Amino acid sequence: KKSAFVVKDTINRDIDISYDLPQQESDSLFHKASRLRTHKNKNVLAMDTFNCNTFYSDSEILSSGVSPKLGSFEISGFPDFTNIELAEEPTVKVRFDIDARGVISLTEAAIRIDEYVEEVVPIVKEVEVDDNNVIESENEDNIIIEEAEEGEINEDEEENEEGEKDEEEGSTEEGEIIEEEEQEQEEIEEENEEIVEEQEFETQLTTKRRILQLKYTQTENIIELSESDILTSRDVLQKLNHEDEQRLLREATKNELESYVYTMLDALEEEGIKSVTTEDERELFSTGLLEAGDWLYDDGASASLEEYQEKLGALKEVGDRMQLRSSELEMRPAVASAFHEWKDTVLEILSTIVTERNVGEGERDELVQEIRDLEGWLESQQEEQAKKQPFEDPVWISSDLYSRMAELQNTVNRFQKRRIRTPTPTPTPEVIEEEKENFEIPPNFEFD
């Protein structure tokens, strides 16, 4: 199961807000887990200019000399409410943003006004419905519908009879049709005007909402610094960071010194160290280790970083040489044996590389000679090492041979990456001109 880790940039402090309004108490604005680049809206009841302040909610956790107050803001630009009949007390919304640096600022202020306004609306009359009248009207409607259906049938018969006549006699003039339509339109307009004159209206109070933008200014910014203050603060921060680094390094060096003392005291009892050191050498080094351990708990308990580094360096100069002799006693034979196996493998590859890869004989011979030179160097170093005592510093170490082998192996790898050599095509033999002239078709030869 995979675990997901999310890193969030937060302000790490609880921020509150207060107002200079009689009925508005202080309230939480941002909590310490609030992320950067976010915002928060606060609603307050106000009808005139007021101020709000942002501050750290817990001033006890702040460093000495740090003010809990962050900033002050003034909200103004309120309308005149003298001639406004309010439905409820106006609400002011203020918006605060946190930028990427954790700085809090006021970015918006608006007021919501709900007011009563007079509106002229038509009077809706209630109509009483008589069931008997409804039944009679329905019967009348049915009679009218039946008469209309009979009229439609008669009209259809008349139209069929008129269709047999000449079309010119049954048509009306276009001017007469337009006049009839205009008369009908005038009659409709007159009827509508009569309806409007008969309609009654009344005045009602309705609620209307308006949103107005207010002015806001920052009257005080506690964290605002001048250019010189910024430079001074930067120098102070760099100094504090350097002191913290030195303090951590001092503690780490002290712990390393203490660990090294106990590690080497145990190592002096191992056969690997005893085989490459003399008794006097071990006794002298053991005394130095015990003195360093006692010093750590006495005068060295409050020593400086430089003193710890000096003491540790002096002990490592002796102890690291002992450990090097012990490790090289086993590593040198192993690396020498690996070299001879590597040499045989590489020489076998180089024996055919000229024909297989695009490598010249001169390049191949130069690399072979370097391998032979390294082999001769190893033999001479082994002869010198054989003359030394185990408690003496080694003539050569395994890393010297290994690094030179790695350089030669890189050259071999470059050769093997080169383009494969393609065989040279066999030239086609040229026919001599005289042979062409003397060529004759043999007798009894038949073409297919």
Side-chain angles (χ1 to χ4, degrees):
K1 182 179 180 181
K2 295 183 179 179
S3 300
F5 295 91
V6 180
V7 179
K8 298 180 180 180
D9 294 328
T10 62
I11 58 177
N12 297 324
R13 293 288 187 274
D14 291 327
I15 309 297
D16 288 354
I17 183 172
S18 64
Y19 312 89
D20 60 350
L21 298 172
Q23 298 179 350
Q24 194 69 41
E25 298 180 354
S26 299
D27 191 12
S28 174
L29 182 59
F30 293 104
H31 54 82
K32 60 184 178 181
S34 297
R35 300 183 65 176
L36 302 183
R37 299 185 181 91
T38 56
H39 70 275
K40 187 71 172 291
N41 295 328
K42 304 298 290 185
N43 294 325
V44 295
L45 301 177
M47 297 177 62
D48 201 357
T49 301
F50 68 93
N51 292 277
C52 58
N53 305 308
T54 56
F55 57 92
Y56 291 113
S57 59
D58 189 1
S59 59
E60 297 180 357
I61 63 175
L62 301 177
S63 302
S64 177
V66 177
S67 173
K69 192 173 182 181
L70 296 175
S72 297
F73 306 89
E74 182 185 76
I75 291 87
S76 59
F78 286 79
D80 186 5
F81 292 99
T82 305
N83 299 323
I84 299 177
E85 186 177 358
L86 297 174
E88 61 181 33
E89 190 172 354
T91 302
V92 177
K93 184 192 77 172
V94 288
R95 168 173 168 157
F96 291 89
D97 284 32
I98 308 177
D99 63 11
R101 301 171 299 168
V103 178
I104 299 175
S105 57
L106 178 62
T107 58
E108 183 185 3
I111 184 171
R112 185 188 67 197
I113 303 174
D114 292 331
E115 59 181 320
Y116 289 119
V117 295
E118 293 184 352
E119 185 177 354
V120 179
V121 296
I123 299 176
V124 180
K125 296 182 179 180
E126 297 182 357
V127 180
E128 296 182 358
V129 180
D130 189 353
D131 295 338
N132 297 326
N133 293 335
V134 171
I135 295 172
E136 292 178 358
S137 62
E138 290 179 354
N139 295 331
E140 292 176 357
D141 293 339
N142 293 333
I143 294 171
I144 292 172
I145 292 171
E146 291 176 358
E147 292 177 354
E149 291 177 353
E150 293 177 357
E152 290 177 359
I153 295 172
N154 296 331
E155 288 177 359
D156 292 339
E157 293 176 354
E158 292 176 359
E159 288 178 359
N160 293 331
E161 293 176 358
E162 291 176 358
E164 297 175 355
K165 298 180 181 180
D166 189 11
E167 295 180 357
E168 294 181 358
E169 295 178 358
S171 62
T172 58
E173 295 182 359
E174 184 177 355
E176 295 178 356
I177 294 174
I178 294 175
E179 291 179 359
E180 291 178 359
E181 291 178 353
E182 290 178 352
Q183 290 177 359
E184 292 177 358
Q185 184 67 26
E186 290 176 359
E187 292 176 357
I188 293 172
E189 292 178 356
E190 291 176 358
E191 292 177 358
N192 291 337
E193 290 177 358
E194 293 176 358
I195 294 173
V196 172
E197 291 176 356
E198 295 176 357
Q199 179 69 55
E200 296 181 3
F201 296 88
E202 65 177 353
T203 302
Q204 292 183 353
L205 287 179
T206 59
T207 303
K208 180 181 178 182
R209 173 169 292 180
R210 292 187 295 161
I211 305 295
L212 302 178
Q213 295 297 321
L214 300 177
K215 297 179 181 179
Y216 56 90
T217 54
Q218 186 165 0
T219 57
E220 186 177 5
N221 187 2
I222 307 302
I223 62 174
E224 185 174 359
L225 301 175
S226 62
E227 188 66 26
S228 60
D229 292 337
I230 294 175
L231 295 176
T232 303
S233 301
R234 186 178 300 168
D235 293 339
V236 171
L237 287 176
Q238 291 178 350
K239 181 180 178 181
L240 293 175
N241 289 336
H242 178 70
E243 290 177 356
D244 288 340
E245 292 174 357
Q246 293 298 307
R247 177 178 56 80
L248 294 175
L249 183 59
R250 174 186 173 277
E251 295 297 327
T253 306
K254 180 181 178 181
N255 294 335
E256 185 181 1
L257 175 59
E258 183 179 13
S259 177
Y260 188 79
V261 168
Y262 290 110
T263 300
M264 291 309 299
L265 285 173
D266 293 338
L268 290 176
E269 302 298 326
E270 298 176 358
E271 291 298 327
I273 296 296
K274 288 182 178 180
S275 62
V276 293
T277 57
T278 62
E279 185 175 353
D280 293 339
E281 190 177 14
R282 293 193 300 274
E283 185 177 353
L284 182 62
F285 185 50
S286 177
T287 302
L289 292 171
L290 293 174
E291 290 177 353
D294 295 338
W295 175 79
L296 275 174
Y297 296 101
D298 293 333
D299 298 337
S302 59
S304 63
L305 170 64
E306 290 74 14
E307 291 177 302
Y308 289 139
Q309 289 176 336
E310 182 180 358
K311 186 74 69 174
L312 179 61
L315 293 176
K316 278 191 169 185
E317 185 177 357
V318 179
D320 289 356
R321 286 166 55 194
M322 292 181 179
Q323 290 181 318
L324 179 65
R325 294 178 205 161
S326 177
S327 61
E328 286 298 322
L329 193 63
E330 298 178 359
M331 288 296 297
R332 283 194 303 269
V335 174
S337 176
F339 166 76
H340 290 293
E341 294 180 3
W342 171 84
K343 178 201 66 175
D344 295 339
T345 302
V346 171
L347 291 179
E348 184 178 356
I349 294 173
L350 295 178
S351 63
T352 58
I353 200 166
V354 174
T355 57
E356 295 177 353
R357 299 283 174 173
N358 193 19
V359 178
E361 293 183 358
E363 293 177 304
R364 187 270 315 272
D365 295 342
E366 183 179 354
L367 179 57
V368 170
Q369 185 60 44
E370 291 179 0
I371 295 173
R372 297 298 185 188
D373 293 342
L374 181 57
E375 184 181 15
W377 173 85
L378 177 60
E379 292 177 356
S380 63
Q381 294 296 102
Q382 288 177 321
E383 291 176 0
E384 292 294 328
Q385 184 63 44
K387 299 176 184 179
K388 294 283 186 179
Q389 296 296 329
F391 53 82
E392 294 180 330
D393 292 336
V395 176
W396 67 283
I397 57 179
S398 56
S399 60
D400 295 338
L401 178 59
Y402 182 79
S403 60
R404 297 181 66 175
M405 288 171 58
E407 293 178 1
L408 296 176
Q409 182 62 44
N410 289 336
T411 305
V412 175
N413 294 339
R414 289 197 301 270
F415 286 174
Q416 291 182 312
K417 290 181 181 179
R418 291 189 182 181
R419 190 163 45 85
I420 298 176
R421 187 184 295 276
T422 56
T424 305
T426 304
T428 304
E430 297 182 0
V431 181
I432 302 175
E433 202 64 35
E434 294 180 358
E435 294 180 354
K436 290 182 179 180
E437 295 178 355
N438 298 329
F439 180 75
E440 295 181 357
I441 299 175
N444 302 326
F445 181 82
E446 296 181 356
F447 290 97
D448 293 337

